[in-house]
């Protein structure tokens, strides 16, 4: 559009102000829109149940997440259904903890990386609710995979605490660290930070688990199951606290700071 045309349009708008609608008409229009929205199919009311809200968000989850969870599930099925599960197998499976833990974080970062946060913040549910529901959906899938693995391990071995030590604990440690990083380092390079952290946590867990396994052959560690249980409870609480803090921070920053787009 030419500059002269723009000036003409600007002058026309300045001399022809839009009429102000009557308050009665505005209120009636809002009421009609509300009635139409509530009568539309496949639209849940604001006071709908939590499962209905989660089902509503399910199509927006990244499709690649489900194959990764199924792959880990298949890995558990193939390795934990053996007659005897070796320590080397458990150490190998410990790497699935950081992998499963990064899935909910990757889906959250996707919204900001694709510049979708403004649209989601203006939707029926605010950004805090959308983030919390996505954490519940993908995190719930991770928990189901871990529960399936623990059931397989429990059928073969009586010491279920070993599954918590080798697989569940790395998952919880990774989840709490990932959420803490998203809370304190919300930069546009969060993906690289999380991947680097996952690799570091995986190497650290493999190193520590190998040392624990070597000590178990020389020293009788009666205290190890109790310490494992305490650590699982502690990191579970830390993960929940970090998730709540993340959603709270998103609510505070909503509409004020572009979370990781600076």
């Amino acid at each position: 559009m030419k500059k002269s045309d723009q000036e003409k349009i600007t002058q026309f708008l300045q001399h022809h102000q839009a009429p102000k609608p009557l308050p009665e008409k505005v209120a009636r229009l809002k009421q009609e829109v509300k009635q139409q929205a509530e009568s539309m199919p496949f639209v849940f009311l604001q006071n709908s149940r939590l499962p209905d809200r989660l089902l509503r968000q399910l199509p927006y989850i990244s499709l690649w997440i489900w194959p990764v969870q199924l792959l880990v599930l298949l890995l558990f099925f193939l390795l934990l259904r053996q007659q005897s599960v070796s320590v080397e197998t458990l150490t190998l499976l410990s790497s699935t903890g950081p992998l499963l833990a990064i899935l909910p974080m990757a889906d959250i970062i996707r919204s900001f990386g694709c510049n979708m946060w403004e649209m989601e913040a203006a939707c029926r549910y605010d950004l805090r609710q959308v983030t919390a529901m996505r954490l519940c959906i993908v995190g719930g899938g991770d928990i189901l995979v871990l529960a399936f693995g623990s059931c397989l391990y429990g059928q073969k071995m009586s010491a279920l605490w070993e599954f918590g030590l080798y697989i569940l604990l790395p998952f919880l440690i990774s989840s709490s660290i990932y959420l803490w990083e998203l809370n304190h380092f919300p930069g546009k390079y969060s993906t690289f930070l999380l991947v680097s952290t996952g690799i570091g946590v995986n190497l650290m867990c493999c190193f520590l688990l190998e040392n624990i396994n070597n000590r178990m052959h020389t020293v009788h560690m009666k205290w190890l199951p109790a310490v494992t249980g305490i650590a699982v409870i502690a990191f579970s609480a830390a993960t929940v606290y970090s998730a709540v803090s993340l959603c709270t921070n998103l609510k505070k920053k909503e509409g004020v700071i572009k979370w990781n787009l600076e």
Side-chain angles (χ1 to χ4, degrees):
M1 185 182 294
K2 296 181 180 179
K3 187 175 181 180
S4 58
D5 296 334
Q6 292 180 352
E7 292 176 352
K8 290 180 181 179
I9 294 175
T10 303
Q11 292 176 359
F12 178 82
L13 293 176
Q14 290 176 351
H15 290 87
H16 298 82
Q17 296 294 333
K20 295 183 179 180
L22 297 176
E24 297 81 7
K25 291 186 177 180
V26 174
R28 185 168 64 251
L29 179 61
K30 289 182 178 180
Q31 185 66 23
E32 291 177 357
V33 171
K34 181 179 179 182
Q35 292 176 355
Q36 289 291 334
E38 291 178 351
S39 62
M40 290 174 62
F42 308 109
V43 174
F44 298 103
L45 300 178
Q46 189 66 25
N47 57 352
S48 59
R49 298 175 302 172
L50 179 60
D52 294 334
R53 298 185 182 186
L54 295 178
L55 287 175
R56 189 68 174 174
Q57 290 293 321
L58 197 59
Y60 300 102
I61 303 299
S62 300
L63 294 178
W64 62 270
I65 287 179
W66 313 120
V68 173
Q69 291 181 336
L70 289 176
L71 182 63
V72 175
L73 194 69
L74 180 62
L75 193 63
F76 281 164
F77 180 76
L78 293 177
L79 296 181
L80 295 181
R81 65 190 297 266
Q82 302 175 3
Q83 293 295 332
S84 60
V85 180
S86 63
V87 177
E88 290 76 13
T89 301
L90 289 176
T91 305
L92 173 64
L93 290 177
S94 66
S95 61
T96 60
L99 175 62
L100 289 174
I102 205 173
L103 297 181
M105 319 305 160
D107 201 61
I108 293 173
I109 294 175
R110 176 180 62 92
S111 300
F112 296 91
C114 297
N115 296 346
M116 292 293 293
W117 74 275
E118 290 178 323
M119 294 180 62
E120 292 175 346
C123 292
R124 185 179 187 89
Y125 305 110
D126 59 27
L127 196 59
R128 174 179 57 90
Q129 293 173 317
V130 171
T131 302
M133 286 188 284
R134 286 177 176 169
L135 285 174
C136 290
I137 292 173
V138 184
D142 291 344
I143 292 174
L144 289 177
V145 172
L146 293 173
F148 178 79
S150 65
C151 291
L152 287 178
Y153 188 81
Q155 291 179 352
K156 300 297 181 181
M157 308 290 290
S158 58
L160 194 59
W161 66 269
E162 293 181 354
F163 183 87
L165 174 65
Y166 285 93
I167 299 175
L168 185 57
L169 202 52
F171 169 78
L172 294 173
I173 293 174
S174 302
S175 298
S176 59
I177 295 177
Y178 292 156
L179 290 168
W180 183 85
E181 287 179 343
L182 290 181
N183 269 313
H184 294 84
F185 304 101
K188 56 185 176 182
Y189 301 106
S190 297
T191 303
F192 303 102
L193 179 62
L194 294 183
V195 171
S196 302
T197 302
I199 295 174
V201 171
N202 186 28
L203 294 176
M204 181 189 68
C205 289
C206 290
F207 175 75
L208 292 177
L209 292 174
E210 179 112 12
N211 286 341
I212 291 175
N213 179 47
N214 294 333
R215 286 179 173 272
M216 288 175 64
H217 292 293
T218 57
V219 182
H220 192 59
M221 298 182 177
K222 292 184 178 180
W223 47 268
L224 191 56
V227 171
T228 301
I230 294 173
V232 167
I233 295 174
F235 280 102
S236 298
T239 301
V240 174
Y241 175 78
S242 298
V244 173
S245 299
L246 175 64
C247 296
T248 304
N249 291 338
L250 289 177
K251 181 64 176 178
K252 292 178 181 178
K253 297 177 182 180
E254 184 179 316
V256 179
I257 299 177
K258 294 182 177 180
W259 188 60
N260 72 334
L261 300 180
E262 64 271 20

